[in-house]
């Protein structure tokens, strides 16, 4: 008789310095648990350890976009299927406790049973580059806003000559005027206030230049990756970037437009019970993608007559304005899914 090769399912609990891996056979029996370093050599040892038990069919990784990103890229390069595993249920943790080996076994069982079925992002193309640039852009924008708010706060309590000079100016004139201050070497309140305002203004200018540089890079990357998406009414560079990052470099992992809508948090959640049939708001999903869909809907409600007509019709049917916008975001998610560059990113 021919003996079939054992099929192995792996599970990995990821951390900054050490990953914990567990292996199950084709019947779900635990084969072993082991620790590995988070280095390229450690990733190779982890995969070799799993393959010692037999052909690896699937690996469930917790945190594929954070601590598990390096391991996920290595497994994809070796043609191993990887699924994203959520953290174990809190009720289960309270009953049975928590440990890294237990979390790794839970990850393996989630992948084995099919509870974890979402394919991990490959994070190896233009979309990953877009995500990295957006991190710097968001940070610079927040820091610029903070600097401007601090300037406004200082002006409201500044000595009268400074307050009279700056309080009526808009942001651009305020930054230009304050950045040109020459406070001198004196250490009185007026001179030090001018020195502080100049420092904040120059910081805001530098951050604005950094934001502009990030925008230029993002615009070029998005036009290379999804020109159809960014050419659609209401979808600008920032919104397109957020939606592409949510879909990832391998958007074919999303089984349908309904899955993409659920990922963006715009799919209604069934909350029916007994004779009552209703749906509730989906508060999960990628909130940045959800915000991008909201901005697209808001822009179209101003510039697109079809969108205005749709909103008026839904509100005449008894929906509130907020509910009508939720329906509109769902339709926009369907349209965006059809514009994702499936073939371009998978070849």
């Amino acid at each position: 008789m021919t003996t079939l090769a054992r099929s192995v399912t792996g599970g990995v609990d990821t951390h900054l310095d050490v990953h914990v891996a567990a292996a199950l056979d084709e019947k779900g029996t635990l084969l072993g648990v082991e620790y590995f370093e988070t280095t390229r050599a450690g990733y190779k040892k982890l995969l070799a350890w799993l393959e010692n038990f037999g052909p690896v069919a699937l690996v469930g990784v917790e945190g594929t976009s954070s601590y598990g990103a390096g391991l996920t890229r290595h497994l994809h390069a070796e043609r191993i299927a990887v699924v994203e595993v959520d953290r174990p249920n809190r009720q289960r943790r309270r009953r049975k406790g928590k440990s890294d080996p237990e979390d790794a076994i839970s990850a393996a069982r989630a992948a084995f049973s099919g509870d974890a079925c979402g394919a991990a992002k490959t994070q190896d193309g233009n979309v990953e580059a877009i995500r990295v640039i957006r991190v710097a852009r968001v940070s610079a924008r927040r820091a610029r806003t903070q600097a401007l708010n601090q300037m406004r706060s200082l002006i409201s309590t500044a000595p009268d000559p400074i307050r009279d000079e700056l309080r009526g100016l808009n942001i651009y004139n305020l930054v230009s005027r304050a950045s040109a201050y020459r406070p001198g070497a004196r250490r009185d309140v007026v001179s030090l206030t001018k020195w502080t305002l100049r420092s904040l203004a120059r910081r805001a200018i530098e951050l604005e230049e950094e934001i502009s540089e990030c925008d230029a890079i993002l615009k070029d990357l998005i036009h290379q990756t999804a020109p159809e998406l960014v050419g659609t009414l209401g979808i600008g560079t920032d919104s397109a970037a957020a939606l592409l990052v949510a879909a990832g470099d391998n958007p074919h992992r999303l089984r349908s437009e309904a899955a993409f809508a659920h990922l963006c948090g715009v799919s209604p959640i069934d909350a029916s019970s007994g004779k009552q049939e209703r749906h509730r708001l989906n508060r999960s999903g990628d909130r940045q993608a959800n915000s991008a869909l909201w901005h697209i809907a808001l822009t179209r409600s101003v510039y697109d007559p079809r969108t205005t007509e749709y909103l008026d019709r839904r509100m005449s049917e008894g929906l509130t304005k907020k509910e009508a916008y939720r329906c509109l975001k769902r339709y926009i998610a369907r349209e965006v899914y059809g514009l994702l560059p499936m073939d371009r990113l998978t070849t």
Side-chain angles (χ1 to χ4, degrees), residues 54-90:
V56 179
L58 182 66
V59 178
V61 180
E62 182 180 324
T64 58
S65 296
S66 54
Y67 289 148
L71 175 62
T72 301
R73 281 192 288 266
H74 177 77
L75 293 174
H76 278 144
E78 297 295 331
R79 307 298 183 184
I80 302 296
V82 182
V83 293
E84 170 74 35
V85 176
D86 294 330
R87 277 190 276 179
N89 184 276
R90 291 184 178 180

Side-chain angles (χ1 to χ4, degrees), residues 26 54 88 139 146 155 166 180 228 240 245 286 332:
E26 68 279 0
S139 175
Q146 184 182 39
I155 291 169
L166 300 178
E228 299 88 356
V245 169
D286 189 312
I332 294 173

